[in-house]
Structure formats: structure tokens, C-alpha cells
Amino acid sequence: MPVPVTDALNRMTDDEDADVVHRCRKGDAEAFEVLVVRHQKRMLNVAYRMLGDYDEACDVVQEAFLAAWRAIRSFRGEAKFSTWLYGIAVNRARNRIRQSQGRSSRETVPIDDPGGPDAGGLRREVPDCGESADGRLERKEIEARVQQCIAALEAEHREVLVLRDIQGFSYEEIAGMLDLPEGTVKSRLFRARAVLKDSLVRVLGDWP
Amino acid sequence: MTCNEMESRLAALIDGSLPDEETGRVEAHLRSCGDCRKTLAALRASDALVKGLEDVEPPPWLKTRVMARVREEARERKRVFQRLFYPLHIKIPIQALATVLIAVVAWNVYRTGEPDFRQAAVQESPEARAPAPAADAAMKAESPAARGKKALAPPAAREDRGGRTVEPARERAGDDAAAPGRAGSVSAPATDDEASKGAGAMSRPERERAARALAPEQKAMKAPAGAVPKEAANRDTAPPGAAPMLSAAVSHGPDLDIAVRARDPVSAAAEVEALLRTIGAQALDRQDREGQVTLKARVRPEHLETLRDKMKSLGHIRETVQAEPRQGAPLTIRMEFRSP
């Protein structure tokens, strides 16, 4: 048996969604609820960390689920269903980022790379946490700053960092979602980690 | 390895993504470089912070809204599906019925129109207007037996032809080329046509034709002497004789029309009338009009040749088959005697 066929069969048998997806493809709307329940939280968190806005993230997840339902007949099982589904969500979130960047570039000065020459931009928006972050900032506040630093990343860095370091997807899965070679995913991710680290050092002061 | 080259390798190192062959070199550099150790520590702290971010929970309405839309779209999809295929249950019979109805109407129109079309075509053809003198001349050249066979093909033979009678009709048409039986053969195809339709219940066109077949005959009976060309024209344009099955019903219409051109039509008619009485002709009828005599009688088929010979001895004759009776049944013959 040819290797690609075997791989496809393995993916099919590994895919926990396969049965439910099969029912959905036959038009069983109720089966789709299983997929919504199973994936909504992780999808929402991917979208939320990419967009930094809860309501927008909810919108993106809704759109992604509906798009998946409409296109589920075209899902042929070449990849895991979740890879396909999260790919839709990431794509939608990326489009939102582009739209909001388009708006902000017309309205306000964009937030540049915190590691770049205009690194003070982020400091202007985030209150200076001083030299002792652990002691004085509440956990929520730290999280908010981390989120801001993530939001300051370029979109292509942001999405790989969110998918790998926050949601823990494998490089193979991320490559499938973003339709990129694994090498590209890795190089983007390592760059994203370095930029985020620099940004956090600036935002959190004497850290770590 | 420089510190600039280290950064991406350190970013790979924190999740074990660095290839083994590089890990040793990176660790060697780290042992000798405090800045890179600091960078690695910051990367690990950053990674810890990111991984420590709390997940947000989806709002309860998210699933509800998504599923409401999904169900709605599934219903729409079904409705579209039904619109495409459900009407089949209702429309197919209606469409089938309409198709059958159209087919039946078309068949009726075809059947009603076909004989008329053929008749029209026959009337248009130059053969149908073949000059009578030439036909007469040819008639003379033929033996009486052959003429009889052509003028009145045995009905049984016709019935044997079954549904399609085109072939024999053509044969006879070939035989009759420039023959006196032209008028008869002209009407024959139409007669064959009717026979080929089967001996079922009489259709409306047949009934109409039967009725029309009577009209010229009655007209001819009343026609004044010297009106023969006109009558002949009428006969040409009149519908062909009814089918054999009709000849019994239209018993007063002639099966055979014989025009006799004699120098003395009245005495010739008297001689024929005498012969008719001799051979036991029935329903004998005589009409005299301005020197033209019309005799009408029912004659046994076996006496036909005798009668024909008699008339031939009296002058030129021209026969027109109007209808073909059943084999062995008496023939109704109308004879017109007039001056040449």
C-alpha cells in the first residue's frame, strides 16, 4: 500500500472526530454540536490570544464553526479534522487582525515591534511596573501585560507562538493549519519567542 | 559561535527543538557566556509566563448561537433539497400525464391529417391528371382479363397485405404506368391506407370521408349531359372511395364507374340494359338526360367481363374504380353513355 494512503488511513483512525464528522457530512446537524462542545474552548483561546479581545474572539469562533459546517462536505480527511477546523479559526482571526491594523494605521500610530527603535511605545501604554514585578503586580495585571506583548508581535509570529507555546499544538499540526513547511513554522516561532522575551523584559522591568 | 547566532538556537533549546548536533555547541557557548545564560533564563521565564496564561471560558451562548445557525442552515439545505427533488412526487405524474396527452393529441392530428395530405399530394401529382385519351388507347391494347385484374384487384389480396400496403401499391402503380386504370390506381393508395389502419371501429375521418364519398356520386347522378368533364374533375378532387368495409354501408354508391362513348348513346344503353336484364342485374336504374343515359345496376362479379365486352363493342370505355367490394359480393356499377 502506498505510503500516503497509509498515512491518510492512520490519520483517519487517529482522528477522534472522524465518526462525528462523518455524521455531519451526511447532514446531521446535531452531531455538529459534539464538535462545537469539543473544540470551542481551545478555538476561543487561540482566537483570544491572537486578537486580545474576548468578544471579537467569540465572533471569530462563531464564524469559524459556521464556515466549517458549510464546508464540512469538502473535508476529505487528508488532515485531522481539528487541524482543518483550527486552520479556519486562525485564518479568520488573521483577517480580523488585518482589518483592525488597516483601521488603526488610518487612525493612530501603530505599535511597532517592541524590540525595534520605537520600543518606548509599549511603555507609554503600559504603566511602568518598576523593578519588582512579582511583588507589586497582581497576577491579572501580569497576564494583561503578557497579552499586550503578544498582541504587539507581528501576526505571523503571534499565530505560531499562540498555537505552539500557549495551545501546545505540534509543529506538524501548526504546519497543517497554516499551510506552511515545518521549518518555516519553527523559524517564525524562535523569532517570536526572542521578540516576546525582549518585550517582556522591557514591560516587566527587572525581570526575570 | 557568536551571541547573535545563539538567540534563535536558545529559543529552540527551551522546548527541545534544537538538533542534537547543535545542542553540544550551544551548551559549550553557554558555559562561557553570561549574557547568553541570561538570555536563556529570560526565554524560559517568558515561556513560563505564556504557558501560565489562564484559559478563557467560552460563553454559554456561543454554542447555542452556533448550533442555532447550524440547525437553521441544515433546514435551509433540506428545503433546497426538497425543492429540487420533492416536487418529483407531485410533478412527475402531472408531467407524464401532460406528455401522454400531447402524444395522444399529436397522434390524432397526424392520423386525421395524413390521408388528406396524401390525397392532396396525389391530386397535385401530374399523373393524376393524365389525359384520358391516352389512357383509353392503352386500355384498348390490353387484354380484358388483365384490365379486370388491374381495375379491380381482389380484395382478399389486399387484405392479405396486412398493415403495410405500400409495396404492393407501388407495384401496381408501376404496372399501371400510362394505363387506363390510372384513376383507379390513384384512388387505390388512399384506400389501402384506410385498410392499413385496421378494421377497428370507424374513426371520425373515415366517417367523414364516407359521407363525402356519397356526395359526388349523388351529384353525378343529377348532372346534365355534357357535364362529364366537370364531373370527372369533381371525381378527381373528391375523396377516394370508402374502405371495403364501407361499401356495404354505402350500397347505393357505385363500386365501378364506366364511361362509354358511343355514336348512339341511347341505343347503346338499351343494348347494355338488355344484357343487364339477361344476366340478372339487380337494382337496375336508368336515367335519360339530353341524349346522355346513365345506367346503374348491381351485378355479380362473374358477369363483369361479359358486361365490359359488350360495352367495348359499343364504343370506347373508361373505367373508374370507386370502391372495392368484398370478394364475390355483387358490384354496383354505374354506366354513362354519351356521344364521343
Side-chain angles (χ1 to χ4, degrees), chain B residues 30-70:
Chain B
L30 281 170
R31 277 192 292 272
S32 63
C33 181
D35 283 347
C36 283
R37 283 200 298 276
K38 213 176 158 184
T39 301
L40 181 63
L43 280 167
R44 284 192 166 130
S46 170
D47 189 49
L49 272 181
V50 165
K51 284 190 165 61
L53 288 171
E54 271 192 29
D55 277 348
V56 290
E57 289 297 322
W61 53 259
L62 184 61
K63 184 190 82 176
T64 314
R65 280 191 197 173
V66 168
M67 285 315 296
R69 292 284 299 277
V70 164

Side-chain angles (χ1 to χ4, degrees), chain A residues 109-153:
Chain A
V109 178
I111 297 171
D112 290 326
D113 182 352
D118 194 20
L122 195 64
R123 284 183 184 273
R124 282 197 300 273
E125 291 171 22
V126 180
D128 194 355
C129 48
E131 56 274 15
S132 170
D134 285 343
R136 280 173 295 198
L137 289 175
E138 293 293 324
R139 195 174 168 219
K140 285 284 176 192
E141 283 180 43
I142 294 174
E143 277 201 6
R145 289 179 188 195
V146 172
Q147 177 62 47
Q148 278 184 313
C149 290
I150 292 169
L153 292 173

Side-chain angles (χ1 to χ4, degrees), chain A residues 2-183:
Chain A
V3 175
V5 177
T6 323
D7 287 352
L9 286 174
N10 287 340
R11 270 196 298 272
M12 287 295 285
T13 46
D14 288 348
D15 195 344
E16 58 171 357
D17 297 323
D19 289 344
V20 186
V21 169
H22 183 68
R23 284 166 55 198
C24 292
R25 289 182 62 183
K26 286 183 169 177
D28 185 352
E30 299 313 310
F32 196 73
E33 190 168 352
V34 177
L35 298 173
V36 174
V37 170
R38 195 176 283 168
H39 295 289
Q40 63 171 347
K41 184 175 176 180
R42 209 172 179 194
M43 276 172 76
L44 178 68
N45 278 280
V46 168
Y48 174 61
R49 293 303 171 192
M50 281 180 72
L51 294 164
D53 185 285
Y54 185 80
D55 293 335
E56 266 202 284
C58 288
D59 285 349
V60 162
V61 171
Q62 278 192 89
E63 287 174 14
F65 272 124
L66 284 172
W69 166 253
R70 286 167 194 156
I72 203 157
R73 283 163 204 269
S74 68
F75 173 68
R76 297 278 174 248
E78 284 102 0
K80 279 168 73 176
F81 174 75
S82 58
T83 303
W84 182 72
L85 181 65
Y86 289 100
I88 295 172
V90 169
N91 202 38
R92 298 257 160 180
R94 194 192 293 151
N95 290 341
R96 289 261 177 159
I97 291 166
R98 267 192 215 126
Q99 286 166 9
S100 64
Q101 278 177 346
R103 279 197 299 273
S104 65
S105 69
R106 287 192 297 271
E107 294 162 5
T108 62
V109 178
I111 297 171
D112 290 326
D113 182 352
D118 194 20
L122 195 64
R123 284 183 184 273
R124 282 197 300 273
E125 291 171 22
V126 180
D128 194 355
C129 48
E131 56 274 15
S132 170
D134 285 343
R136 280 173 295 198
L137 289 175
E138 293 293 324
R139 195 174 168 219
K140 285 284 176 192
E141 283 180 43
I142 294 174
E143 277 201 6
R145 289 179 188 195
V146 172
Q147 177 62 47
Q148 278 184 313
C149 290
I150 292 169
L153 292 173
E154 285 181 33
E156 63 177 29
H157 291 154
R158 200 185 315 173
E159 60 197 27
V160 288
L161 187 114
V162 167
L163 291 170
R164 174 67 187 172
D165 290 348
I166 301 178
Q167 294 302 324
F169 286 107
S170 71
Y171 288 115
E172 188 191 359
E173 286 174 312
I174 297 167
M177 288 174 204
L178 304 181
D179 198 20
L180 288 173
E182 271 188 46

Side-chain angles (χ1 to χ4, degrees), chain B residues 32-328:
Chain B
S32 63
C33 181
D35 283 347
C36 283
R37 283 200 298 276
K38 213 176 158 184
T39 301
L40 181 63
L43 280 167
R44 284 192 166 130
S46 170
D47 189 49
L49 272 181
V50 165
K51 284 190 165 61
L53 288 171
E54 271 192 29
D55 277 348
V56 290
E57 289 297 322
W61 53 259
L62 184 61
K63 184 190 82 176
T64 314
R65 280 191 197 173
V66 168
M67 285 315 296
R69 292 284 299 277
V70 164
R71 288 189 188 103
E72 190 184 325
E73 291 193 9
R75 276 196 298 274
E76 277 296 314
R77 208 182 279 176
K78 262 185 193 166
R79 273 201 284 273
V80 170
F81 192 79
Q82 282 172 347
R83 266 201 291 277
L84 284 173
F85 295 100
Y86 180 72
L88 295 182
H89 298 304
I90 293 175
K91 279 188 183 169
I92 269 197
I94 293 172
Q95 287 160 349
L97 197 69
T99 308
V100 168
L101 205 69
I102 288 165
V104 166
V105 168
W107 174 244
N108 273 336
V109 167
Y110 173 74
R111 282 192 57 172
T112 310
E114 186 186 41
D116 291 341
F117 295 148
R118 285 198 183 192
Q119 194 181 322
V122 166
Q123 285 170 4
E124 287 302 313
S125 76
E127 284 178 354
R129 297 170 196 282
D136 282 354
M139 179 86 157
K140 271 184 191 168
E142 286 185 289
S143 74
R147 274 201 314 272
K149 207 163 77 183
K150 272 174 197 169
L152 273 179
R158 284 165 185 270
E159 281 159 15
D160 284 347
R161 286 181 201 138
R164 300 312 306 164
T165 60
V166 175
E167 199 69 21
R170 270 194 202 140
E171 279 169 24
R172 194 180 52 227
D175 288 344
D176 285 354
R182 173 56 55 209
S185 66
V186 162
S187 64
T191 315
D192 284 351
D193 234 15
E194 303 214 340
S196 72
K197 283 176 194 166
M202 195 191 289
S203 70
R204 204 184 76 182
E206 283 168 341
R207 262 183 267 126
E208 283 171 4
R209 208 167 297 118
R212 271 183 281 146
L214 295 175
E217 175 53 29
Q218 288 162 350
K219 211 185 288 173
M221 293 295 281
K222 292 171 193 165
V228 176
K230 192 183 168 192
E231 187 208 57
N234 279 346
R235 206 177 296 143
D236 275 349
T237 52
M245 51 171 281
L246 291 178
S247 61
V250 194
S251 57
H252 51 291
D255 297 318
L256 188 61
D257 233 337
I258 303 175
V260 183
R261 294 183 186 186
R263 256 179 243 106
D264 183 0
V266 179
S267 60
E271 280 187 48
V272 173
E273 190 179 356
L275 177 63
L276 285 168
R277 291 187 197 284
T278 312
I279 60 174
Q282 295 175 332
L284 187 57
D285 178 59
R286 177 183 170 128
Q287 290 185 3
D288 287 72
R289 242 186 227 104
E290 296 170 22
Q292 181 180 321
V293 182
T294 305
L295 290 176
K296 199 174 165 190
R298 281 172 73 80
V299 182
R300 303 289 307 167
E302 56 266 30
H303 296 132
L304 185 61
E305 283 309 312
T306 315
L307 191 62
R308 195 180 270 135
D309 288 345
K310 179 70 183 172
M311 284 188 284
K312 258 192 78 183
S313 70
L314 296 168
H316 295 297
I317 67 165
R318 189 163 64 126
E319 294 184 27
T320 308
V321 179
Q322 297 289 10
E324 292 162 24
R326 286 186 305 276
Q327 195 171 24

